[in-house]
Amino acid sequence: QVQLVESGGGLVQPGGSLRLFCAASGSFFSLYVMGWYRQAPGKQRDLVADISSGGTTDYADSVKGRFIISRDNAKKMVYLQMNSLKPEDTAVYYCNNRGTGDWGQGTQVTVSS
């Protein structure tokens, strides 16, 4: 079973930046598409960005040009660099292995002045 552990969340002012980290365990990490999702209170969990084993990325329209997803296969890490943050980015952010369906526990991101 793959274990995913997120970190890096916190409170940030509008316009600020945060970097989220996802540490993965298990075998064959480099083969899987990895994704970041987010869930705001009372809303469904939505895909924010994903990255293929080869580094091809895809983003939700709401974060294009502001967020960057990346990965380090040797370290079994996935990152989400979030810039120009807006209050509507406030949510719990989850790391997901899109191949195995495993989820992390989530990390809270709050954008507020």
Side-chain angles (χ1 to χ4, degrees):
Q1 185 179 1
V2 175
Q3 184 176 16
L4 303 172
V5 179
E6 302 98 333
S7 61
L11 173 64
V12 63
Q13 292 187 342
S17 297
L18 278 177
R19 194 180 196 202
L20 303 185
F21 303 82
C22 173
S25 63
S27 303
F28 310 116
F29 168 83
S30 64
L31 301 180
Y32 296 121
V33 176
M34 299 295 297
W36 282 100
Y37 287 72
R38 67 186 181 187
Q39 187 168 21
K43 296 188 177 181
Q44 67 180 20
R45 191 175 297 188
D46 291 325
L47 179 66
V48 174
D50 62 22
I51 183 167
S52 72
S53 58
T56 301
T57 59
D58 194 23
Y59 297 92
D61 287 343
S62 59
V63 306
K64 280 182 181 177
R66 300 189 297 123
F67 291 10
I68 301 171
I69 188 171
S70 60
R71 67 190 295 163
D72 184 330
N73 289 333
K75 295 181 178 179
K76 297 184 181 180
M77 293 290 295
V78 185
Y79 309 97
L80 186 67
Q81 178 66 42
M82 305 186 295
N83 302 318
S84 302
L85 283 161
K86 305 175 181 180
E88 51 263 43
D89 295 318
T90 296
V92 178
Y93 284 71
Y94 297 91
C95 183
N96 172 253
N97 184 316
R98 303 197 72 192
T100 65
D102 291 294
W103 294 91
Q105 83 288 350
T107 185
Q108 176 71 46
V109 172
T110 303
V111 185
S112 175
S113 55

